[in-house]
């Protein structure tokens, strides 16, 4: 493991892997309950990023549109 700082792409990949592991441990819960819990958690994260001026309202809407589009494409 490198002691250097991860690039943004590497950090995202590491987070996705960690979330895959965490959601795997929650697989015994109904998918709708897991989705609702993840949505609540995402709401909190986005609120913090917005309050710290890391993301604008427009950027948040863009992210949410990407999520919605990805969900729609995934079920097509």
């Amino acid at each position: 493991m490198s002691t250097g700082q991860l690039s943004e792409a590497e950090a995202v990949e590491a987070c996705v892997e960690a979330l895959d592991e965490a959601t795997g441990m929650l697989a015994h819960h109904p998918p709708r309950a897991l989705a609702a819990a993840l949505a609540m958690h995402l709401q909190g994260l986005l609120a913090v990023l917005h309050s710290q001026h890391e993301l604008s309202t427009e950027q948040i809407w863009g992210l949410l549109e990407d999520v919605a589009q990805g969900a729609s494409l995934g079920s097509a």
Side-chain angles (χ1 to χ4, degrees):
M1 175 179 274
S2 173
T3 57
Q5 193 167 4
L6 296 177
S7 70
E8 184 171 350
E10 292 169 326
V12 169
E13 184 176 338
C15 286
V16 168
E17 289 175 9
L19 284 169
D20 282 346
E21 290 177 22
T23 55
M25 292 188 298
L26 298 170
H28 61 280
H29 293 289
R32 284 182 166 228
L34 183 55
L38 288 169
M40 290 170 34
H41 191 72
L42 179 60
Q43 180 181 357
L45 288 171
L46 293 175
V48 168
L49 290 170
H50 186 263
S51 71
Q52 294 178 351
H53 306 288
E54 294 285 330
L55 288 176
S56 68
T57 301
E58 294 78 19
Q59 289 171 310
I60 291 171
W61 279 113
L63 286 170
L64 295 174
E65 287 172 1
D66 290 346
V67 169
Q69 184 177 22
S72 295
L73 292 175
S75 64

